Amino acid sequence: MADAKRPNQLLRNLNAKVAAIPMVATALVVFVGCTIWTIVHSFTKSKLLPKTDFVGLDQYERLWKTNKWLISIENLAIYGICSLVLSICIGFFLATLLDQKIRFENTIRTIILYPFALSFVVTGLTWQWILNPDFGVQKIVRSLGWESFAFDPLYNQDIVIYGILIAAIWQGSGLIMVIMLAGLRGIDQEIWKAARVDGIPKWKTYIFIVIPMMRPVFVTALVLITAGIVKVYDLVVAQTNGGPGIASEVPAKYVIESMFKNQNLGQAFAASTMMLVTVLIILVPYAYLEYGGKRRAK
Amino acid sequence: MNFRNALVATTALCAASAVSAADLEVTHWWTSGGEAAAVAEFAKAFNETEGNNWVDGAIAGGGGVARGVIVSRILGGDPMHATQLNHGRQAEELVEAGLMLDLTDIAEEGGWRDIVHPVSLLDSCTVDGKVYCVPVNIHSWQWLWLSHKAYADAGVDVPSNWDEFVSSAPALEAAGKVPLAMGQQSWQSSGAFGVMLVALGGPELWTKVYAEKDADAAASAEMAAVFEAAAAARELSAGSNVSDWNLATAMVINGEAGGQIMGDWAQGEFAVAEQVAGEDYTCLPGLGVNEIISTGGDAFYFPKQDDPEVEAAQKELAKLLLSKEVQVNFNLKKGSLPVRGDVDLAAANDCMKKGLEILASGNILPDGNQVLSADTTGQLEDLMVEFWNDTSITAEDAHKRYADIIASAD
């Protein structure tokens, strides 16, 4: 009886399964296949072209001894944490402001979302000019009379990464705002009425009732922002090209430069494998909590 | 009948254009004013040949960025028809993988071995006895460019060597000038250091460190002295917040900076600004200490194509690049030296004549790109750009890391 049922189970929704095969195959071959290929070659001394002369962990040893890589990782950590926190806070704050049924909401929403329509390269170049001490913000403030005013983050090794962060937040927070706004609009008006009847202040309603209800929206925003953080490259290239010195290098840039400029594939693959490991370290516990936990609850 | 006629006509048309009519896409990273004017000479000469068309594929951002684009396009199966690269080891693996067109037949036909001077340039294009690239110019790094205006404003004489340059720096600073203009890109930092090594440490030390990768020489006391000098030069360059080399050169042209260590391609910028060597600016080969130049330069490689028509046009372009007229026109605009010893450069200015004299006297070194792999070059560039921009790194620290890189160089 059970034996007779099993093939049925496989053939159920056959059309849907057949239709999914190309996508599954692409994901397996392109994503998993290429990842394995990259990891395998990170143990070789491939130069410009992939070869299979295995050298063990040499590439990784060199990687973790290279100052440029260490600075890249540090920058990514600062940039990642700050942009995650700030994007979500600013995005949510702007969304609550827009949610107060103000006039010209559409206009304001469009203006705030507009930077997202620009590519990172354009964003980077624009902010490079704005932050340039010779003709940007510093120049304008000084010409207004504050002669000693200094604001040149892109030319200061210690804070250059924050200069890049400003541009990233400017570009990205509009999108987060729109997502949050959609989430806020999804909250049932009855809940607001109930809160008002109970005399709960507005800010308390947001923090203790609305935010917990918006969990899926926050997760969406989180995934979008994190994906952007790990692959940040074009913004840095356009804004500082890693400078001054190597103070604003990021891992993706290290990979690209090792691969094509320095013609050292092995080193590039070792670096990209480390990037993958970093992502997994964050992703695996999260996925475990998110999905593993649910199964147990059932 | 009609159909056949049409067919014959079409075939005839194809055959007619097959003589050698092709649009060749040529990639290069010559984007500054002087460079663009020079590469336009190539395009003009090639467009004048029958039916051929030069499609310009300039890539902005300097050699470091452009090489990445070029290599990834060739490896990715979308090769351009011709491309600039530096001589030497940059294209080594691409040639070995059979991705470049073999030019041996036209090289023999044109007697390149006899006309290219110094012949080491052609050797850099040769792999296993076969020629794969066309050298088009000789560029040397070892020049110090000095602004007469800046020194006049500061009220001191234009220096005639590096020591005088360093001792005149306080006067320039007092006059509100930056003594040493320096672009922030890594290749510039590394190049300027190489120049100081040749000039202050001497060519023997350079050869030991770069060509022979002698770890002891790289860790020696002579080398430490060069690092001390570089740390001093770093102080002089504080305040030049520019990125591209030509913007740094512009500071020298405008008299905002005293000098710049840069290769002879800087001369193209002075030419575009209509400045005269000896009157508006001075050039000191080998920083005025050791008059030696390296003979690196640019070469054109021709990635392999399936189309025989395109291949014919590629070979035609290769021949054209080495012809006397094109060599003279191009190099005068570019400020570089021609690769042929037999062309007349009467129109050359003072600086180019100095270069030609040194070239003729044989005081030459290979270029860093000819002896170091791209990997080692990249490591040195990373170290140098960090050292040059971060004053918290002492000369000793940088020296130690430098010696490690040379010791593990391949």
Side-chain angles (χ1 to χ4, degrees):
Chain A
M1 184 78 177
D3 281 2
K5 258 190 182 174
R6 212 156 266 157
N8 266 349
Q9 199 71 8
L10 256 181
L11 291 176
R12 252 176 66 194
N13 294 332
L14 188 64
N15 288 349
K17 280 172 187 163
V18 169
I21 284 177
M23 195 53 223
V24 172
T26 316
L28 280 182
V29 174
V30 175
F31 194 73
V32 180
C34 291
T35 307
I36 292 171
W37 189 88
T38 302
I39 295 174
V40 168
H41 280 83
S42 73
F43 296 106
T44 68
K45 57 171 182 183
S46 303
K47 288 294 186 186
L48 181 59
L49 302 171
K51 286 182 194 131
T52 45
D53 312 334
F54 288 95
V55 291
L57 289 169
D58 281 9
Q59 299 286 9
Y60 292 90
E61 267 173 40
R62 178 174 150 190
L63 181 70
W64 286 103
K65 270 197 271 175
T66 308
N67 220 5
K68 185 172 161 187
W69 174 253
L70 299 177
I71 290 177
S72 303
I73 290 287
E74 190 190 327
N75 279 340
L76 187 68
I78 297 175
Y79 173 88
I81 293 169
C82 293
S83 91
L84 197 64
V85 172
L86 288 177
S87 293
I88 290 195
C89 290
I90 294 175
F92 185 75
F93 183 66
L94 289 175
T96 49
L97 290 187
L98 271 190
D99 197 33
Q100 308 308 313
K101 302 188 180 66
I102 49 169
R103 287 170 82 190
F104 307 118
E105 187 200 309
N106 287 340
T107 318
I108 296 172
R109 199 175 53 209
T110 310
I111 291 173
I112 298 178
L113 186 60
Y114 224 91
F116 190 69
L118 299 179
S119 73
F120 264 144
V121 173
V122 177
T123 311
L125 277 179
T126 313
W127 279 91
Q128 187 195 42
W129 292 330
I130 295 176
L131 297 177
N132 187 311
D134 296 328
F135 42 81
V137 176
Q138 178 175 317
K139 170 84 189 286
I140 292 170
V141 175
R142 280 193 184 178
S143 66
L144 289 176
W146 286 276
E147 290 292 337
S148 62
F149 179 80
F151 185 64
D152 54 348
L154 297 188
Y155 293 88
N156 183 337
Q157 302 234 352
D158 302 325
I159 55 170
V160 60
I161 193 68
Y162 300 102
I164 291 169
L165 188 67
I166 294 175
I169 301 275
W170 177 80
Q171 203 252 9
S173 53
L175 176 75
I176 303 302
M177 179 202 74
V178 172
I179 294 172
M180 296 286 182
L181 190 59
L184 287 175
R185 293 283 149 85
I187 302 285
D188 198 336
Q189 285 302 314
E190 298 302 317
I191 289 170
W192 279 109
K193 284 177 193 161
R196 219 173 300 148
V197 169
D198 285 348
I200 304 172
K202 223 170 186 182
W203 64 271
K204 265 193 172 170
T205 319
Y206 269 117
I207 292 176
F208 295 109
I209 300 172
V210 175
I211 290 184
M213 288 180 75
M214 278 171 64
R215 188 160 183 267
V217 177
F218 274 90
V219 171
T220 309
L222 197 78
V223 171
L224 281 178
I225 299 170
T226 336
I229 290 169
V230 178
K231 64 184 185 196
V232 60
Y233 166 76
D234 30 11
L235 185 63
V236 177
V237 169
Q239 230 180 326
T240 63
N241 203 16
I246 55 172
S248 59
E249 293 285 343
V250 284
K253 189 162 174 285
Y254 186 93
V255 172
I256 300 269
E257 283 184 356
S258 303
M259 203 180 290
F260 294 116
K261 190 179 133 231
N262 299 353
Q263 306 184 348
N264 190 340
L265 277 186
Q267 184 66 198
F269 289 161
S272 49
T273 307
M274 288 320 300
M275 283 174 74
L276 179 69
V277 169
T278 328
V279 174
L280 287 183
I281 288 175
I282 300 168
L283 209 64
V284 167
Y286 167 76
Y288 183 77
L289 284 177
E290 188 76 348
Y291 303 104
K294 253 181 212 161
R295 201 171 300 146
R296 231 175 298 132
K298 274 178 191 171
Chain B
M1 192 63 189
N2 252 345
F3 173 71
R4 235 180 102 188
N5 273 349
L7 202 71
V8 169
T10 324
T11 329
L13 209 71
C14 289
S17 61
V19 176
S20 106
D23 290 353
L24 292 197
E25 188 197 358
V26 189
T27 50
H28 56 87
W29 57 85
W30 286 324
T31 49
S32 80
E35 291 173 333
V39 81
E41 291 292 332
F42 281 158
K44 201 178 92 196
F46 188 60
N47 286 338
E48 277 166 10
T49 58
E50 189 155 336
N52 289 320
N53 190 16
W54 171 290
V55 181
D56 200 75
I59 302 170
V65 176
R67 271 195 299 279
V69 177
I70 291 166
V71 170
S72 62
R73 274 190 59 186
I74 295 174
L75 289 180
D78 176 28
M80 61 298 293
H81 302 107
T83 186
Q84 174 203 6
L85 282 173
N86 297 116
H87 295 288
R89 301 183 60 178
Q90 285 171 358
E92 212 171 50
E93 284 199 56
L94 292 174
V95 169
E96 281 165 9
L99 292 165
M100 293 296 182
L101 183 65
D102 181 1
L103 302 170
T104 314
D105 49 342
I106 59 165
E108 277 169 7
E109 183 193 319
W112 287 7
R113 199 144 272 285
D114 302 321
I115 57 172
V116 173
H117 174 83
V119 81
S120 67
L121 292 175
L122 197 60
D123 292 339
S124 290
C125 281
T126 312
V127 178
D128 296 331
K130 289 182 179 159
V131 178
Y132 289 94
C133 68
V134 187
V136 293
N137 59 5
I138 300 171
H139 267 312
S140 47
W141 247 109
Q142 291 73 15
W143 297 83
L144 177 62
W145 307 91
L146 297 165
S147 164
H148 284 202
K149 181 171 178 293
Y151 283 95
D153 290 350
V156 283
D157 288 339
V158 177
S160 63
N161 62 42
W162 180 251
D163 290 335
E164 288 181 32
F165 174 77
V166 173
S167 54
S168 68
L172 282 178
E173 275 169 348
K177 317 259 179 202
V178 178
L180 183 66
M182 190 78 195
Q184 314 250 333
Q185 288 163 344
S186 57
W187 64 271
Q188 299 177 48
S189 315
S190 182
F193 180 80
V195 173
M196 297 184 72
L197 174 57
V198 175
L200 309 175
E204 294 81 23
L205 184 61
W206 188 93
T207 313
K208 266 190 197 154
V209 174
Y210 281 69
E212 294 161 19
K213 284 103 185 163
D214 182 341
D216 295 332
S220 65
E222 288 93 343
M223 204 65 218
V226 177
F227 267 95
E228 289 298 338
R234 177 171 70 180
E235 303 294 324
L236 302 183
S237 70
S240 58
N241 282 337
V242 292
S243 170
D244 294 309
W245 66 270
N246 50 326
L247 298 179
T249 310
M251 289 173 72
V252 177
I253 291 173
N254 301 332
E256 290 165 37
Q260 182 192 16
I261 300 176
M262 185 44 62
D264 53 9
W265 47 92
Q267 190 153 251
E269 298 302 298
F270 287 101
V272 169
E274 293 181 348
Q275 295 215 328
V276 181
E279 284 176 30
D280 301 307
Y281 67 97
T282 293
C283 52
L284 298 176
L287 307 184
V289 187
N290 273 320
E291 293 213 343
I292 285 177
I293 58 174
S294 62
T295 54
D298 300 295
F300 274 84
Y301 285 81
F302 299 86
K304 237 180 211 162
Q305 306 280 339
D306 296 332
D307 191 341
E309 273 180 45
V310 172
E311 198 176 302
Q314 284 177 315
K315 288 190 170 169
E316 195 164 337
L317 176 60
K319 273 189 243 172
L320 191 76
L321 294 178
L322 263 186
S323 70
K324 280 189 180 179
E325 193 194 340
V326 171
Q327 275 288 308
V328 171
N329 291 343
F330 171 78
N331 285 305
L332 283 177
K333 288 263 166 63
K334 184 85 164 62
S336 52
L337 305 177
V339 293
R340 301 178 63 135
D342 58 350
V343 293
D344 178 30
L345 271 189
N349 65 27
D350 271 10
C351 288
M352 284 176 82
K353 281 185 182 142
K354 276 189 202 172
L356 285 169
E357 268 169 39
I358 299 173
L359 192 63
S361 71
N363 276 338
I364 52 175
L365 283 174
D367 185 65
N369 287 323
Q370 285 168 295
V371 292
L372 295 174
S373 70
D375 190 26
T376 312
T377 308
Q379 282 178 287
L380 289 177
E381 284 179 355
D382 290 341
L383 169 64
M384 285 305 160
V385 75
E386 194 187 352
F387 171 66
W388 215 274
N389 285 286
D390 185 351
T391 43
S392 69
I393 301 175
T394 62
E396 292 88 59
D397 290 348
H399 185 197
K400 199 177 155 292
R401 284 166 60 187
Y402 180 86
D404 286 345
I405 293 173
I406 296 295
S408 64
D410 50 358

